[in-house]
């Protein structure tokens, strides 16, 4: 019931968009929206019978009757923005409200030849990296996206200042669905840092069906950090797809720190030889929070390398899901691909479902995966005690360290420090002295 | 004048899960002394180290252990450490996500807090670390690496002695610190320990082999067999053992009770 209502709401918004945006019920944009909507109708909103949603039940989430919104329903003020995470980060801040870029609330480079940030005016240019073909929420996004952000980094540019996209779902008018789209193109041999944060602002619940597409051209280096640290009203279903060209390196770090419901789909495609992909993830949950991380590393060609480390710390009645697919296609000889996934269960009622999935069609490759779940190592606790650190303190320190192993892969100092601090706060744990 | 021994173990009985492993150990260690506890595998050496450090898996069923006249049996491992007990682990634990420097700093500050000392200033701490690292020929880069993660056997043992140097314990227990070390690492570790010896502290070296005792020369050697100290002597006892093997002890010792 809730599921049908959701699709109907998306259809309704599509009809309004067709009639009012650009006035066109024909043309390329209309066609691509219609195609995406057809995918949603065909695939439907997934139930737990769907293999990709086996451990994550959407029915209670979608029972909130989210209505799509495009652009601000009520103005979002600077004061609100200033209260959100990383607002004082020395960065180019790009603010999207209900999926639409707000230049007046953003802090954008002024005629910087290296970076071009603008509203995604031609939505048909999106979807080449994250195509709306099978994933119903990518289809939702493709049906409704309007005015997201396009970021272009010029070839050979070294952009030290992070680019921070802050996507806000504004919910004062009622339970709201927003569909932000971020499209980033990184030129050859350029390097940059992209930080993505999501917030629900307002009295009602918010659901974000976001899509981020990143194209890493030859020899480029991209550090991408997605932080889900929303309030109780926050629900997030997001896909990030990354294409990695020859000798390019992409690092994606996904942190699920707060918010009621998070589902991340991360797809890293190694499209040309010597491409490198690094995937890191950390979830720190409590209460009845849920974080579901699905990752795909697609080795399509020979001589590529990938490393993946996902960790979860689950307290209360929280639920963690990790599904990590690695495809090594027939041509992808000399692939090295490593995956590990470790979970710490901090309460008897917390649950984690972990599923590594390696499909290897080439025969000359090095691949490994490892998964553990359990409690803190008693020997490690004793080791700390034997150095004069009290038992409870030792537990806290080790719990923090367990999560910090992921955060330490974030290269940007301020962003890493922010993550480490938030992890410690969430755990109520002391950090080791610095 | 009689002084209180640094460590006094009297008729210690201990075991794990109803199995008695230590069957009446008595040992007196005075400040300034080095004692070696030798014995074949399964004689109870590591149990003795674990019981001294307060590992909770072991139950003490009889006897006493006192440090500077203070009963430590009821103390938690952390309180024993704060009182000055240090154990160099046979298998140091790897802790990803914590740098060696931050780990050691946390331990040192914690100890200082319990000794009523103000925290060390960052500069003073760094200087102290640099000084102590030299002792065990550790390179600067170790400090930023995750604790023991990916360290070689020798690096782990050197790290243990580095921590000992930083924490300045009254009683250091080296639990098979020589196991798995090549001769260079053994020499470095031993020289580190020797440099830390003083008239105020003591070292208990637990080892299977005499080799380490060429470098850390003991004042007393005790042979542990079947949960008891069956023979004590000077450093020459270690040579005798090396020459005759443990069968000599097993044959000469009273039959199991």
């Amino acid at each position: 019931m809730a599921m049908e209502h959701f699709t109907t709401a998306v259809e309704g918004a599509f009809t309004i968009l067709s009639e009012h945006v650009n006035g066109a019920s024909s043309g390329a944009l209309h066609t691509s929206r219609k195609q995406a909507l057809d995918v949603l109708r065909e695939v439907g909103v997934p139930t737990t019978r769907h293999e990709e949603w086996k451990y994550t039940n959407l029915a209670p989430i979608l029972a909130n009757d989210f209505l799509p919104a495009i652009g601000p329903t009520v103005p979002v003020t600077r004061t609100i923005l200033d209260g959100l995470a990383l607002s004082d980060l020395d960065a180019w801040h790009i603010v999207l409200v209900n999926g639409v870029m707000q230049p007046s609330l953003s802090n954008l480079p002024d005629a910087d030849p290296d970076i071009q940030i603008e509203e995604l005016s031609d939505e048909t240019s999106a979807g080449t990296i994250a195509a709306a073909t099978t994933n119903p929420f990518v289809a939702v996004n493709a049906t409704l996206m309007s005015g997201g952000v396009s970021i272009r980094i010029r070839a050979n540019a070294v952009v030290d200042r992070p680019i921070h996209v802050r996507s806000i779902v504004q919910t004062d008018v009622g339970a709201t669905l927003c569909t932000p789209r971020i499209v980033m193109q990184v030129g050859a041999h350029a390097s940059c840092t992209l930080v993505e944060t999501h917030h629900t602002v307002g009295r009602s619940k918010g659901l974000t069906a976001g899509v981020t597409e990143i194209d890493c051209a030859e020899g480029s280096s991209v550090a991408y950090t997605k932080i889900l640290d929303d309030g109780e009203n926050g629900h997030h279903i997001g896909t990030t797809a990354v294409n990695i060209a020859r000798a390019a390196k992409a690092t994606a770090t996904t942190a699920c720190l707060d918010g009621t419901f998070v589902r991340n789909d991360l797809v890293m495609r190694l499209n040309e030889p010597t491409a490198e992909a690094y995937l890191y993830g950390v979830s720190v949950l409590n209460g009845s929070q849920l974080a579901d991380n699905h990752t795909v590393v697609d080795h399509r060609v020979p001589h590529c390398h990938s490393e993946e480390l996902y960790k979860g710390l689950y307290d209360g009645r929280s639920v963690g899901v990790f599904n990590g697919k690695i495809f090594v296609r027939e041509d992808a000889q000399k692939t090295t691909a490593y995956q590990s996934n470790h979970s710490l269960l901090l309460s008897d009622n917390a649950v984690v479902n972990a599923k590594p999935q390696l499909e290897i069609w080439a025969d000359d490759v090095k691949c490994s995966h490892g998964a553990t779940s359990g409690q803190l190592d008693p020997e490690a606790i004793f080791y700390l005690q034997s150095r004069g650190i009290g038992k409870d303190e030792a537990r806290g320190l080790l719990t923090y360290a367990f999560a910090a192993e992921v955060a330490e892969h974030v290269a940007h100092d301020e962003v890493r420090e922010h993550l480490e601090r938030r992890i410690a706060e969430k755990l109520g744990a002391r950090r080791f002295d610095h | 004048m009689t002084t209180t021994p640094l460590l006094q173990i009297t008729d210690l009985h201990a075991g794990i899960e109803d199995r008695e492993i230590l069957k009446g150990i008595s040992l007196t260690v005075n400040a300034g002394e080095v004692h070696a506890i030798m014995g074949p595998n399964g004689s109870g050496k590591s149990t003795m180290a674990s019981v001294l450090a307060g590992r909770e898996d072991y139950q003490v069923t009889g006897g006493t252990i006192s440090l500077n006249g203070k009963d430590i049996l009821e103390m938690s491992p952390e309180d024993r450490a704060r009182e000055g007990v240090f154990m160099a682990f046979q298998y140091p634990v790897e802790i990803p996500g914590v740098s060696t420097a931050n780990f050691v700093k946390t331990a040192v500050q914690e100890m200082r807090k319990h000794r009523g000392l103000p925290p060390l200033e960052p500069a003073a701490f760094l200087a102290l670390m640099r000084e102590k690292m030299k002792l065990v020929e550790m390179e600067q880069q170790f400090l930023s690496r995750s604790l023991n993660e990916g360290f070689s056997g020798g690096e782990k043992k050197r790290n243990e002695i580095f921590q000992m140097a930083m924490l300045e314990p009254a009683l250091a227990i080296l639990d098979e610190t020589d196991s798995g070390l090549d001769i260079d690492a053994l020499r470095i570790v031993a020289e580190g320990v020797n440099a830390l010896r003083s008239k105020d502290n003591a070292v208990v070296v637990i080892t299977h082999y005499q080799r380490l005792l060429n470098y850390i020369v003991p004042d007393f050697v005790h042979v542990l067999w079947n949960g008891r100290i069956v023979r004590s002597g000077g450093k020459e006892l270690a040579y005798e053992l090396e020459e005759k093997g443990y069968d000599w002890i097993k044959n000469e010792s009273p039959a199991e009770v």
Side-chain angles (χ1 to χ4, degrees), chain A residues 13-73:
Chain A
F14 164 76
T15 307
I16 294 167
L17 269 177
S18 304
E19 286 165 3
H20 297 282
V21 179
N22 306 333
S25 58
S26 59
L29 178 58
H30 177 78
T31 306
S32 73
R33 283 198 167 122
K34 177 133 194 342
Q35 282 168 352
L37 181 61
D38 287 342
V39 169
L40 174 65
R41 284 175 175 144
E42 195 190 317
V43 179
V45 176
T47 66
T48 51
R49 282 192 297 277
H50 193 297
E51 187 56 30
E52 297 297 309
W53 291 84
K54 197 172 169 182
Y55 303 107
T56 301
N57 184 6
L58 282 169
I61 307 301
L62 298 184
N64 289 300
D65 292 347
F66 293 102
L67 285 175
I70 293 164
T73 44

Side-chain angles (χ1 to χ4, degrees), chain A residues 377 379-380 382-391 393 397-398 401-402 404-405 408 430 432-434, chain B residues 55-56 77-78 81-82 86-87 89 93 95-98 102-103 105-107 109-111 147-148 160 163:
Chain A
D377 176 12
E379 184 66 10
F382 177 62
Y383 191 72
L384 266 65
Q385 285 180 284
S386 78
R387 301 301 183 247
I389 299 166
K391 194 172 189 173
E393 194 96 15
L397 287 163
L398 288 170
F402 183 86
E405 195 197 357
E408 73 185 15
R430 208 188 105 182
F432 282 89
D433 290 345
H434 282 265
Chain B
R55 199 188 280 275
E56 282 165 5
E78 57 269 32
R82 292 161 188 165
F86 176 90
M87 179 166 84
F89 279 53
V93 178
I95 306 182
V98 186
N102 290 347
F103 173 77
K105 189 166 189 180
T106 303
Q109 304 292 35
E110 199 69 20
M111 293 285 207
L147 186 71
N148 290 328
E160 292 294 286
Q163 291 176 41

Side-chain angles (χ1 to χ4, degrees), chain A residues 235-269:
Chain A
H235 302 78
H236 180 92
I237 302 174
T239 292
T240 296
V242 186
N243 280 356
I244 313 167
R246 183 180 300 271
K249 175 185 168 183
T251 304
T253 307
T254 308
C256 302
L257 302 178
D258 229 338
T260 297
F261 178 94
V262 175
R263 161 68 179 246
N264 293 309
D265 283 87
L266 174 62
V267 182
M268 304 274 261
R269 295 190 200 95

Side-chain angles (χ1 to χ4, degrees), chain B residues 51-54 72-73 75-85:
Chain B
V51 169
L52 283 170
I72 63 165
L73 267 183
M75 285 184 192
S76 63
E78 57 269 32
D79 282 337
R80 295 180 195 205
R82 292 161 188 165
E83 291 292 329
V85 177

Side-chain angles (χ1 to χ4, degrees), chain A residues 188-258:
Chain A
H189 308 285
S191 69
C192 64
T193 296
L194 175 65
V195 181
E196 183 183 326
T197 55
H198 293 269
H199 297 279
T200 303
V201 170
R203 285 186 290 272
S204 309
K205 289 175 181 167
L207 171 62
T208 295
V211 175
T212 301
E213 300 177 84
I214 303 174
D215 186 48
C216 309
E218 180 172 347
S220 64
S221 173
V222 178
Y224 166 72
T225 304
K226 179 178 179 183
I227 304 173
L228 287 314
D229 195 1
D230 204 353
E232 219 174 295
N233 282 336
H235 302 78
H236 180 92
I237 302 174
T239 292
T240 296
V242 186
N243 280 356
I244 313 167
R246 183 180 300 271
K249 175 185 168 183
T251 304
T253 307
T254 308
C256 302
L257 302 178
D258 229 338

Side-chain angles (χ1 to χ4, degrees), chain A residues 82-117:
Chain A
D82 288 347
L84 302 177
L86 286 171
S87 55
D88 48 7
L89 181 69
D90 181 14
W92 301 118
H93 295 279
I94 304 161
V95 175
L96 310 183
V97 176
N98 292 340
V100 179
M101 183 171 158
Q102 306 293 305
S104 64
L105 296 172
S106 303
N107 170 28
L108 304 174
D110 185 19
D112 184 332
D114 287 343
I115 323 170
Q116 206 183 335
I117 299 175

Side-chain angles (χ1 to χ4, degrees), chain B residues 10-46:
Chain B
T10 312
D11 196 26
L12 181 68
H13 291 255
I16 191 163
E17 291 168 357
D18 298 336
R19 190 164 63 88
E20 188 170 59
I21 299 169
L22 301 183
K23 302 168 181 171
I25 302 265
S26 294
L27 179 69
T28 304
V29 177
N30 292 304
E33 295 175 352
V34 174
H35 289 243
I37 311 281
M38 300 185 70
N41 291 331
S43 57
K45 299 191 302 290
S46 279

